[in-house]
Amino acid sequence: MPHNRTNRSKSVLLVSTALAGLAAAPALAADGVLPGDTIFVTASRAPAEAYTIGNAISVLTAEDIEQRQNPVISDLLRSVPGIAVSRSGGPGQLTQVRMRGAEGNHTLVLVDGVEANELNFNGEFDFASLMAVGIERIEVLRGAQSALYGSDALGGVINIITKGGMPGFSAEAAIEGGSFAERQATMLLRGGSERLNGAFSAGYYGTDGTNLSRYGSEKDGARVFSFSGKGMAQVTDNFRIDAVGRYVTSKNDTDAQDFNWPPTPTEGLVIDTLDQQKNQLFYGRVQGELSLFEDHWVHQASVQYSDTRREYINPSDDLTGNHGSRLKFEYQNTVNFQTPSFLDADHHVTVAFEREEQDFENHGAVPDALENQKRSEPQNSYIAEYRVGLADQLFLSAGIRHDDNRMFRNATTYRLAAAWQHKQTGTRLHASHGTAVTNPGFFELFGYYPDFFIGNPALKPEESRSFDVGIEQKFLGDRLTLDVTYFHANLENEIVTVFAGFSTTVENLVGKSRRNGVEVMLSAQLTDNLSIGGSYTYTDSRQPGGAPEVRRPRHMGNFNANYGFAAGRGNVNLDVSYNGRQLDNEFASSTPESIVTLNDYVLVTLAASYKLTDSLEIYGRIENLVDQHYEEVFSYRSPGIGAFGGLRLKLGD
């Protein structure tokens, strides 16, 4: 029987399915075009202003998040250029995010700087349970970033930054309900002094959901509890301690794909089953920072820990699952100095060391199950970065990283970036070039179910070389900004899933996979009350033989308009996202093809809010306003039109 090679994205879905079956800043910040003085913490080892950054970067602010009212972060990311979202049904279901045509596990996700990619999910982050509660901002850095962050940052980095403490006291709470028996409650407390402050947020999201399958009528719901804390203590004038922690527990109903034998009319399709999945995630970090000589010499030492658990329950109450944890120590030393006599230069030199311990465990339904296994992997990393600004006009950066692995060949990656601005004309040119690597996941190396999936310990890490170049131009006295970026990436050793009869494995492809595209971003403050933003992305992502990659639409676009009225008491937001046609895999032996085309779709969300008093606000939104019937993953139906509304209370400063 000929082998059917497909993208590893399918293996991620199959892991889930098979195991289930077996057991503003101003408003101009919206849509990615940035105010020049915005400070970013993701684009460099040390904070940097937006106009000095040569890499393509976007931000979603707390104001954007509140105006759009999306309960889950993955829906907010649909507005960011270069990002494609694939959700297996409604909110709370398995959600993958791909950047610039790369695979889901090629995007590194940070939560307050803590690596959140799941070792027990092939190194990928599942956005299903990431709620938009207590979020200060989301920074998205596109392109190869392994020189800064190591493995997994091949397509880019998403950093979710939660709200921290503040002098004084403030409290926020919201309750919401709506279609599909959706119910949501959130709260945020912030307070303290200049030297000691903290924040705590909690949220609950629940829905009875809709039927994921094209057949039957069983609804597939989801429930998510999320808790987050953040604190800062300024111990002395030059020494501070920061701590963050986030815990999430979730449970969702899901449906399995029909792999019964002999084949049935629904072979390869999603059918109603009583499968469930439970997840627990914890991310935490403690950091000490010592600043000497008026911030010219900054020392940072931190320890971070992440722990993720997944359990799959099938209708027979068989319980299988897996567990991954990451313990990481970091020390970083940054020297900042100026040389006014030489081009009024501003220098930043950073060196860092990281030690990481990765542990992975898989367990079957019985104590002596063949899939039971434990694995571990240590890694030492050495990082150096140099940034210089010349005459506040030309900005250059260079970074290099060496990863000392035990399982794989040691990897050295680098990154170069440049930005040049001409203030008189409002023009800014930006470009970057870099290399990146993504190591194979534990499942890919060692397999998770011997009768179904066979691991491949001979897998090589995926390696990428990429560049982008773009121009940002301001018009109308900086009220309108346009940014156009071209990107290109080559990927070697791409890991794909190979289906042969009843067994499945993974292998490296020979040759280069290529990704090309263009990102266009526009934002405009048309009046004091009306702002608009938009983006368009063209992506061509292909395997070495020229076959298009699945779940990577060639065309994506977003338009957002926000209007404030009644002296700021009211607000209306219209968000329109277009997802072009895309390919996906199908597994019916009765059909001649193994690849199908998913139709394009348009998602429209209309949201409005009004302050009844200075503290109390009523809000509501209609999602999927034009009632599109669509699938982001083959055979998984997405929800239709839905209406939601709630009350939000804000007290304090």
Side-chain angles (χ1 to χ4, degrees):
M1 176 178 291
H3 287 185
N4 175 21
R5 290 186 173 85
T6 187
N7 194 283
R8 72 196 301 186
S9 61
K10 198 62 185 179
S11 71
V12 171
L13 181 60
L14 282 173
V15 168
S16 215
T17 303
L19 288 175
L22 293 167
L28 282 176
D31 299 301
V33 183
L34 312 170
D37 58 354
T38 303
I39 301 296
F40 280 88
V41 299
T42 311
S44 171
R45 296 292 299 196
E49 293 176 300
Y51 70 94
T52 70
I53 298 170
N55 302 87
I57 190 165
S58 303
V59 63
L60 288 164
T61 67
E63 185 179 25
D64 299 328
I65 295 169
E66 186 168 312
Q67 290 172 346
R68 300 180 189 198
Q69 301 182 20
N70 299 108
V72 292
I73 286 178
S74 57
D75 281 339
L76 291 162
L77 293 174
R78 296 179 192 274
S79 66
V80 178
I83 285 185
V85 177
S86 299
R87 186 166 61 203
S88 304
Q93 304 295 336
L94 171 65
T95 306
Q96 296 181 281
V97 167
R98 295 176 174 82
M99 199 179 301
R100 284 188 167 178
E103 189 46 83
N105 64 339
H106 293 167
T107 297
L108 177 67
V109 178
L110 306 173
V111 178
D112 285 316
V114 182
E115 288 191 35
N117 290 43
E118 301 175 46
L119 296 171
N120 51 330
F121 197 54
N122 265 342
E124 184 170 346
F125 182 79
D126 179 5
F127 281 80
S129 57
L130 192 56
M131 297 177 61
V133 54
I135 305 299
E136 179 66 38
R137 53 197 278 145
I138 301 170
E139 295 184 359
V140 179
L141 180 64
R142 297 186 292 278
Q145 310 298 335
S146 286
L148 295 182
Y149 296 103
S151 177
D152 302 337
L154 190 147
V157 179
I158 298 173
N159 191 5
I160 294 109
I161 301 167
T162 61
K163 292 182 177 179
M166 53 184 287
F169 174 78
S170 70
E172 298 180 25
I175 56 171
E176 177 185 306
S179 300
F180 320 123
E182 190 247 29
R183 55 274 182 195
Q184 183 177 187
T186 62
M187 58 88 72
L188 170 66
L189 302 175
R190 309 171 73 185
S193 64
E194 291 283 356
R195 301 189 72 89
L196 180 66
N197 57 59
F200 174 78
S201 69
Y204 166 75
Y205 174 84
T207 175
D208 286 356
T210 57
N211 186 17
L212 302 180
S213 171
R214 299 175 183 176
Y215 309 95
S217 58
E218 179 230 6
K219 295 180 179 178
D220 298 285
R223 293 148 294 278
V224 180
F225 290 92
S226 177
F227 307 90
S228 179
K230 199 169 191 176
M232 186 280 290
Q234 190 75 45
V235 181
T236 68
D237 289 344
N238 61 353
F239 179 65
R240 60 181 283 172
I241 297 174
D242 294 272
V244 297
R246 188 178 185 91
Y247 173 75
V248 179
T249 178
S250 65
K251 184 176 182 179
N252 63 285
D253 306 322
T254 186
D255 289 335
Q257 284 178 283
D258 182 1
F259 290 126
N260 292 314
W261 186 261
T264 69
T266 58
E267 182 200 13
L269 302 176
V270 175
I271 55 174
D272 274 352
T273 61
L274 299 178
D275 298 284
Q276 291 184 315
Q277 180 176 328
K278 296 169 63 177
N279 299 330
Q280 293 184 63
L281 308 95
F282 171 79
Y283 316 106
R285 183 181 187 182
V286 178
Q287 175 178 291
E289 178 179 298
L290 177 65
S291 181
L292 303 174
F293 308 114
E294 298 181 338
D295 296 336
H296 287 293
W297 192 12
V298 180
H299 301 259
Q300 294 175 327
S302 67
V303 56
Q304 64 174 261
Y305 179 73
S306 64
D307 188 290
T308 57
R309 298 175 185 272
R310 288 176 172 264
E311 291 183 339
Y312 307 89
I313 309 167
N314 70 10
S316 302
D317 287 333
D318 292 333
L319 178 67
T320 64
N322 44 63
H323 169 225
S325 65
R326 177 185 288 111
L327 179 62
K328 189 173 183 179
F329 300 93
E330 295 177 281
Y331 171 72
Q332 179 169 304
N333 192 327
T334 300
V335 176
N336 308 300
F337 63 98
Q338 293 77 39
T339 55
S341 59
F342 177 72
L343 295 175
D344 194 19
D346 188 13
H347 308 265
H348 308 270
V349 180
T350 299
V351 293
F353 169 75
E354 296 177 357
R355 167 72 179 180
E356 183 171 320
E357 301 280 350
Q358 300 179 352
D359 292 295
F360 164 81
E361 180 179 2
N362 192 56
H363 68 81
V366 295
D368 58 349
L370 293 175
E371 61 265 42
N372 293 351
Q373 59 175 299
K374 292 183 179 180
R375 305 283 178 175
S376 63
E377 166 70 2
Q379 183 184 79
N380 293 325
S381 301
Y382 311 87
I383 306 104
E385 183 188 46
Y386 172 64
R387 290 191 292 121
V388 61
L390 303 174
D392 201 30
Q393 188 172 38
L394 178 63
F395 307 91
L396 307 171
S397 69
I400 189 169
R401 177 188 183 106
H402 180 74
D403 294 323
D404 188 353
N405 300 297
R406 185 179 66 181
M407 285 188 184
F408 316 106
R409 187 181 64 184
N410 296 341
T412 299
T413 52
Y414 66 88
R415 189 186 81 144
L416 304 170
W420 175 82
Q421 70 165 353
H422 190 262
K423 293 182 179 178
Q424 289 74 19
T425 59
T427 305
R428 192 175 76 91
L429 305 178
H430 54 88
S432 69
H433 166 66
T435 57
V437 62
T438 292
N439 294 329
F442 284 105
F443 279 126
E444 293 170 327
L445 289 166
F446 305 111
Y448 59 88
Y449 190 70
D451 290 340
F452 180 78
F453 184 92
I454 301 171
N456 182 358
L459 283 177
K460 299 176 182 177
E462 297 172 294
E463 299 176 344
S464 177
R465 183 181 303 272
S466 68
F467 74 89
D468 59 36
V469 57
I471 180 171
E472 176 187 298
Q473 181 64 54
K474 296 183 182 299
F475 303 94
L476 305 176
D478 294 352
R479 297 181 72 85
L480 188 151
T481 305
L482 175 68
D483 190 299
V484 181
T485 302
Y486 170 79
F487 63 88
H488 173 86
N490 287 334
L491 176 68
E492 295 185 64
N493 302 325
E494 180 179 1
I495 297 174
V496 295
T497 305
V498 181
F499 301 91
F502 293 101
S503 66
T504 306
T505 187
V506 285
E507 66 179 23
N508 292 111
L509 287 181
V510 177
K512 294 181 180 179
S513 304
R514 289 180 168 80
R515 292 85 168 90
N516 300 287
V518 176
E519 298 160 344
V520 181
M521 297 178 286
L522 172 71
S523 70
Q525 189 73 43
L526 300 181
T527 70
D528 290 344
N529 298 327
L530 177 62
S531 62
I532 63 171
S535 66
Y536 166 77
T537 304
Y538 170 82
T539 305
D540 185 20
S541 182
R542 296 179 182 274
Q543 294 185 348
E549 302 276 15
V550 301
R551 298 182 197 167
R552 270 147 278 201
R554 180 166 291 192
H555 304 282
M556 295 184 295
N558 177 265
F559 171 79
N560 185 274
N562 192 81
Y563 178 68
F565 60 95
R569 301 187 75 87
N571 193 85
V572 177
N573 188 279
L574 175 67
D575 192 80
V576 182
S577 292
Y578 172 74
N579 197 95
R581 298 172 64 191
Q582 58 185 329
L583 303 179
D584 206 352
N585 301 288
E586 68 109 88
F587 297 95
S589 60
S590 58
T591 61
E593 69 274 3
S594 59
I595 298 292
V596 294
T597 299
L598 304 181
N599 293 330
D600 59 349
Y601 55 88
V602 177
L603 298 179
V604 180
T605 300
L606 179 63
S609 63
Y610 188 82
K611 291 181 179 177
L612 302 174
T613 70
D614 289 343
S615 302
L616 184 62
E617 181 180 78
I618 186 171
Y619 67 91
R621 69 182 179 282
I622 302 175
E623 296 182 357
N624 194 0
L625 184 62
V626 294
D627 198 22
Q628 290 270 277
H629 298 275
Y630 65 102
E631 293 178 352
E632 297 182 281
V633 177
F634 177 62
S635 189
Y636 284 86
R637 296 197 313 174
S638 295
I641 186 172
F644 311 87
L647 292 171
R648 182 181 292 114
L649 179 67
K650 293 184 178 180
L651 300 173
D653 300 330

